[in-house]
Amino acid sequence: NEKDYKFISRLGEVDMDVTENEIKIKHKGSKYRFALLKEVPEFEPDLDNLKDVVVTFDVIQKASAFTGNASDQPQYSGVNILNDVLMASNRAAVMRKKITNDLGYEINIPGSSIKHMQEHEKMFLKTNGKFLACLIPGRIFYTTLIENKISNVSLQLDDKFKVTLNRSELVNELKKVSEYAEIAKFTYRDDRFSIQASTNEQDFDIQLDAEFNGKAVIMQLNVKQFLLILNAVEIDDVKLEFTDKAVRIYDEAKENEFLLPRYGQLEEVE
């Protein structure tokens, strides 16, 4: 079973003896025994009508970090390749990338399956709309797909203000806050970008230098989800676009768009 497989895979080099009913493992003087499961049906995938997936594996892999895992929301547990956009969301942070999809259909790749794909210079990703095949020399990995019911809906965002900050500095400060608070307030006041958070025992008021444009408002954001986005961005100086509904980051280097909806209502700067 999966639990036994993960345990054995962490041991490294082992001596294995397989009998009719069990698997015996020897590793550095230790011995392990596992039941041999034989009632697993053989999987014979339909190899007809496979088409090349237009999106590169590194993009799919990055998007997989934004998938959710709620059993009652399976649509959000995968990376969606729609007609004109790749999209992944855990119902909080969102990653989007404009693409040209020539498959003739839209697919949703389970995020949990992507970690089992091995990146290789000769990798090919193919699908027929029923499953995804990851082919590298000597290995083929298959996964079924999630029934796709998500459509591409672009948010109509009203810009309030924009700030440009050093990404590493912002990440370092948010890591400190994340150890204490789940939600923080973000705004621009007194010519500096401000991050504020409060708990019963602590208060944080962090100031960062930033280039500013617009009319400042106060927006509350989930700190850990904000860090998820910032760790996926591959530029040194990041522009944060604060709107009426969310903060938006566009990574021009990779043409990736990230969105994080606000928490609660917008507040006016006093």
Side-chain angles (χ1 to χ4, degrees):
N1 59 42
E2 182 179 4
K3 186 175 181 180
D4 294 345
Y5 178 82
K6 288 181 177 179
F7 177 85
I8 296 171
S9 67
R10 291 196 297 266
L11 297 177
E13 186 174 344
V14 300
D15 290 326
M16 178 182 294
D17 182 24
V18 180
T19 67
E20 184 178 352
N21 299 310
E22 62 185 16
I23 302 170
K24 296 179 180 179
I25 299 290
K26 292 181 181 180
H27 173 68
K28 294 183 178 179
S30 300
K31 297 179 181 180
Y32 308 93
R33 185 172 61 86
F34 304 92
L36 178 60
L37 303 182
K38 296 182 292 186
E39 301 301 323
V40 180
E42 185 176 353
F43 178 53
E44 292 289 347
D46 179 5
L47 297 176
D48 295 332
N49 303 315
L50 286 178
K51 298 181 180 179
D52 290 322
V53 175
V54 294
V55 183
T56 59
F57 177 70
D58 64 313
V59 173
I60 294 174
Q61 189 177 46
K62 181 182 289 290
S64 67
F66 291 83
T67 58
N69 56 9
S71 59
D72 60 336
Q73 298 172 331
Q75 296 297 316
Y76 291 92
S77 62
V79 176
N80 294 267
I81 297 179
L82 307 179
N83 285 333
D84 56 358
V85 68
L86 174 143
M87 183 171 63
S89 172
N90 57 17
R91 298 305 300 269
V94 181
M95 174 181 168
R96 292 162 46 93
K97 181 181 182 68
K98 290 185 178 181
I99 60 171
T100 300
N101 181 2
D102 297 324
L103 291 171
Y105 39 77
E106 300 174 325
I107 62 174
N108 190 342
I109 305 170
S112 59
S113 70
I114 295 170
K115 64 184 178 182
H116 298 294
M117 300 180 191
Q118 297 179 0
E119 190 168 8
H120 193 280
E121 60 181 5
K122 295 183 178 180
M123 169 188 281
F124 294 94
L125 295 175
K126 296 177 177 288
T127 184
N128 59 5
K130 300 176 183 177
F131 67 88
L132 180 79
C134 173
L135 298 88
I136 64 173
R139 183 178 188 265
I140 303 178
F141 174 81
Y142 302 95
T143 180
T144 54
L145 299 173
I146 301 170
E147 182 181 2
N148 186 66
K149 294 183 179 180
I150 292 179
S151 58
N152 178 26
V153 178
S154 297
L155 290 176
Q156 299 300 315
L157 301 175
D158 178 16
D159 284 348
K160 297 299 181 182
F161 72 90
K162 301 177 183 180
V163 291
T164 302
L165 303 101
N166 180 274
R167 188 187 67 85
S168 295
E169 290 182 9
L170 179 57
V171 167
N172 289 337
E173 297 300 337
L174 288 178
K175 284 181 178 178
K176 298 174 187 176
V177 176
S178 68
E179 296 180 8
Y180 293 92
E182 180 180 354
I183 304 297
K185 292 183 177 182
F186 299 82
T187 193
Y188 189 84
R189 56 157 56 91
D190 300 328
D191 297 326
R192 304 192 81 187
F193 185 68
S194 173
I195 305 171
Q196 295 178 316
S198 297
T199 70
N200 291 333
E201 295 84 19
Q202 297 89 15
D203 283 307
F204 293 85
D205 188 356
I206 299 168
Q207 307 293 315
L208 294 172
D209 292 326
E211 296 180 14
F212 172 80
N213 179 265
K215 181 180 179 181
V217 294
I218 302 173
M219 180 181 288
Q220 297 185 78
L221 298 171
N222 184 292
V223 178
K224 289 186 178 180
Q225 297 293 339
F226 201 2
L227 279 169
L228 175 65
I229 289 176
L230 291 170
N231 286 325
V233 174
E234 299 182 35
I235 46 181
D236 294 331
D237 294 320
V238 59
K239 180 186 289 185
L240 310 179
E241 301 176 28
F242 285 82
T243 74
D244 57 331
K245 299 183 180 71
V247 61
R248 175 182 182 267
I249 298 176
Y250 183 69
D251 185 344
E252 295 182 357
K254 297 293 183 180
E255 299 183 333
N256 294 329
E257 179 186 35
F258 302 93
L259 296 165
L260 180 60
R262 61 175 166 79
Y263 180 88
Q265 299 299 316
L266 288 178
E267 301 176 31
E268 297 294 331
V269 177
E270 296 180 358

